[in-house]
Amino acid sequence: MKKIFYSYLLTIFFFNLSYADQKGIDIAKETVKRNTGWVGSEVVFQMILKNASGGVAERKIRSMALENDKPNEGDKSLSIFDTPADVEGTIFLSHTKIKKPDDQWLFLPALKRVKRISSSNKSGPFMGSEYAYEDLLSFEIDRFTHTFLREEKCPGSFKDVDCFVVEQTPTYENSGYTRRIVWTHKNDYIAVYIDYYDRKNSLLKSLTFDNYKLYKNKFWRAHELNMVNHQTKKSTLIVYEAYNFDAAIDKSLFNANKLKRIR
Amino acid sequence: MQFFLFIFFLSLNVFAENDFSFKTELGVDYRIFPEKSTRHPNDQKSQFSGYLKPELELFPSDSKFEYKFSGLLRNDSSDDARDYFEIKELFVQYVDDKFDLTIGSIQNFWGVTESAHIVDIINQKDFREDLDGEKKLGQPSVRYRRYFDMDLFSFYIMPYFRERPSSTFNKRFSSALPVNSSSLFPGSASKNHIDFSTRFQKNLGNNDIGLIFFRGNSRDPIVTIENFNIVNTYKIINLIGLDYQYTSEDLLIKLETTNTNGFGKSYNSTVFGFEKLLPSIFNRIEVNTLLEFQFDDRNISEAPATSLDDDIFFGFRFNFNDINDTQFLIGSNIDTNDTSSFSILEGSRRFLDSYKLSLTYRGFNNYNNDQPFYFLKNDDHINLNISIFF
């Protein structure tokens, strides 16, 4: 009797576990599905870096992205730094891979040098901000395992609607996180809030998405992303200008050899 | 040239505001020399200079032509050779999807290694600017580049040769004897010799390979002494070069190798090394370690001198990843034959948004009189640089 009871408990446990995993993956798949077909986009953004004592520094970056057209590859992205003035013209090119390390290049205008760089520094900060490189990569399902936790009212300015709460654990190497908890808008399948847990599994950062706008009647893009580091009390706000999806993005620009001639 | 300049500036008025970019760097360098110069007992212990680097680009949106000018104006407190204006770039470029064609004075960089740049042979090095050889003179060229997916083919025709400039005799960094202002160009070498070079660059996943061929005036001169004067001799060389980089998640493997024919017996130069990304400090400071080996089998009685013959470079690069982009490089280049070495420390940091502070230290150790660059032995220096960008 006891044995049957335990096996019953175990069954419920595993059923729940697999249900939670399946639901987590389903949410991720729907999120990706609804954000498929944008082909290419172009946007200008400001990064506003704030330290604990209130000091502020600003960065202006132009960014282009190209949606993956092969199933085993991620998106390609290109960031051109317009300020600070001493790094103006520096370009960062990334070809995101899903299972393999990403290919990354840096163009240094003062030396006219394109450097292919190591990509293992995913947990390192992007341009001195509170964003790590891995926070800015395109969302690829297979880079995480997904566990559905619960449904609840969304945090922040979305508190009138319900959110799925899903725990995502990075499957790639060299992540700075043990896990992240993502609040996803239940109707629109867009992330509205993310908590990041460091390698010691304590809360490190929180990211709030705000000012979502709909493009081409299909693609939601947040225009304000605020990353707060709870341990250092620093924060970085990213403010996007309007996205341009209609631009016929030139695929050949995402080529390391051509970085020298990008404006 | 004047006609070209005239056309260039005439076209300035034509373009709308979003079709051009103009930026300038204004800076000062203060060099401190702790040791007495070997050249002259009263030689300067410090040196002060200011510079201006304007850069103008025009890229009218309705045209496939674009234009660029960048220059450097420097004025030095003690060395007249460092009072100059140099046109680094002045070119017009036709840009097509699959190719581009550039005519004018260009700056070009080839290579993958850090401690030496042996395949980087298009531009003449400017040792007035700095000893590291990374500052270069503009090279008048016709350049064609053809793009193939991830690969690149380029071809250069260089109709005018520029001699290597150096500091004034007896001033810091100058050689042991005065340099004769007229150089020798034996055989078919000449300032107007039409040099050409070609490069093919191929990407194979994690492997990037470049193949280079160059025929023309050697950028490095061989030095001979006549009547207590140094005479630079430039000869026609054929150079075949290869550069290679393997990129993995946290390790780069790098190789540059060249074979040079033209100065007596042909010789090989090689730089081989690694760059490894170490685990970050405080999850923020990025640390790279660099290890490079340099080999060279030239006979310096018939070929240009090099100090990098059997040397090992070892160093660390720290990137603090902070708001001010604080960076450090510390390293040492050691000659395994005679234990001479030089040490470097380079650091830089932004402040007040558009200012930058840089500090460089170079130290020369165990330099003996039988070495080609022994005259630098007391030129250990600290260079403090402040620049503003606008």
Side-chain angles (χ1 to χ4, degrees), chain A residues 59 84-86 101 111-113 116 118-123 128-129 174 252 255 257-258 261 263, chain B residues 57 59 66 89 96-97 100 109 112 114 147 149-150 201 205 208 245 249 277 284 286 321 323 350:
Chain A
R59 310 273 178 267
D86 62 309
L111 301 172
K112 313 272 174 256
R113 181 173 181 183
R116 187 158 174 194
S118 305
S119 61
S120 69
N121 190 30
K122 291 192 180 67
S123 60
S129 76
N174 301 307
S252 69
N255 175 339
N257 290 326
K258 282 195 180 167
R261 57 182 224 187
R263 300 283 160 220
Chain B
E57 286 177 277
F59 35 92
E66 52 188 41
E89 291 167 288
D96 192 78
D97 183 37
D100 49 50
F109 181 85
V112 290
E114 305 297 326
Y147 300 87
D149 193 21
M150 299 277 280
Q201 190 179 317
D208 289 285
Q245 182 176 313
E249 255 203 321
L277 187 65
R284 189 151 198 116
E286 191 184 298
N321 273 314
I323 287 185
R350 176 171 35 244

Side-chain angles (χ1 to χ4, degrees), chain A residues 95-122:
Chain A
H95 292 182
T96 313
K97 311 280 176 187
I98 292 165
K99 288 284 159 70
K100 290 192 292 175
D102 299 342
D103 292 341
Q104 295 179 346
W105 295 265
L106 203 57
F107 172 61
L108 305 165
L111 301 172
K112 313 272 174 256
R113 181 173 181 183
V114 178
K115 254 178 124 168
R116 187 158 174 194
I117 56 173
S118 305
S119 61
S120 69
N121 190 30
K122 291 192 180 67

Side-chain angles (χ1 to χ4, degrees), chain B residues 198-216:
Chain B
T198 179
R199 175 181 164 89
F200 184 66
Q201 190 179 317
K202 176 97 191 140
N203 170 267
L204 296 161
N206 292 333
N207 304 283
D208 289 285
I209 303 161
L211 273 175
I212 289 161
F213 181 72
F214 171 89
R215 179 177 169 78

Side-chain angles (χ1 to χ4, degrees), chain B residues 74-293:
Chain B
R74 185 179 284 279
N75 210 302
D76 191 281
S77 64
S78 61
D79 184 353
D80 292 345
R82 276 165 61 81
D83 296 341
Y84 61 87
F85 176 65
E86 162 70 14
I87 296 172
K88 294 255 176 195
E89 291 167 288
L90 181 64
F91 63 73
V92 53
Q93 182 163 281
Y94 181 84
V95 179
D96 192 78
D97 183 37
K98 289 271 193 295
F99 74 92
D100 49 50
L101 182 69
T102 313
I103 298 173
S105 192
I106 60 166
Q107 292 275 326
N108 190 79
F109 181 85
W110 286 338
V112 290
T113 55
E114 305 297 326
S115 62
H117 305 296
I118 59 174
V119 301
D120 188 30
I121 38 123
I122 296 295
N123 295 83
Q124 180 61 276
K125 290 170 182 152
D126 188 350
F127 284 118
R128 291 170 304 184
E129 268 300 290
D130 205 350
L131 288 177
D132 62 7
E134 292 189 354
K135 313 295 183 297
K136 296 181 288 187
L137 302 181
Q139 173 61 52
S141 311
V142 178
R143 176 181 65 193
Y144 171 80
R145 291 186 292 202
R146 173 78 166 84
Y147 300 87
F148 303 91
D149 193 21
M150 299 277 280
D151 307 330
L152 172 66
F153 170 80
S154 39
F155 188 80
Y156 297 70
I157 299 168
M158 294 161 280
Y160 184 75
F161 173 72
R162 301 193 64 194
E163 293 177 51
R164 176 166 299 172
S166 55
S167 310
T168 307
F169 173 60
N170 260 344
K171 298 294 178 184
R172 291 289 183 168
F173 302 152
S174 72
S175 42
L177 293 168
V179 178
N180 197 318
S181 60
S182 56
S183 304
L184 297 177
F185 291 88
S188 57
S190 112
K191 280 188 115 167
N192 296 312
H193 180 270
I194 296 174
D195 300 348
F196 79 92
S197 185
T198 179
R199 175 181 164 89
F200 184 66
Q201 190 179 317
K202 176 97 191 140
N203 170 267
L204 296 161
N206 292 333
N207 304 283
D208 289 285
I209 303 161
L211 273 175
I212 289 161
F213 181 72
F214 171 89
R215 179 177 169 78
N217 294 300
S218 68
R219 273 40 183 162
D220 298 331
I222 179 168
V223 166
T224 49
I225 296 167
E226 270 173 38
N227 301 327
F228 298 102
N229 267 256
I230 284 178
V231 179
N232 286 331
T233 302
Y234 299 92
K235 292 187 178 178
I236 296 294
I237 57 162
N238 288 313
L239 181 142
I240 303 166
L242 172 109
D243 59 79
Y244 168 79
Q245 182 176 313
Y246 169 80
T247 309
S248 78
E249 255 203 321
D250 57 0
L251 177 72
L252 309 178
I253 301 174
K254 303 169 173 191
L255 169 75
E256 288 186 22
T257 185
T258 57
N259 176 274
T260 309
N261 205 334
F263 285 103
K265 197 167 144 281
S266 82
Y267 58 88
N268 301 301
S269 312
T270 299
V271 184
F272 170 74
F274 308 92
E275 181 170 342
K276 169 112 175 113
L277 187 65
L278 302 177
S280 63
I281 302 174
F282 311 126
N283 208 14
R284 189 151 198 116
I285 304 173
E286 191 184 298
V287 189
N288 272 289
T289 175
L290 300 156
L291 176 64
E292 293 185 356
F293 303 91

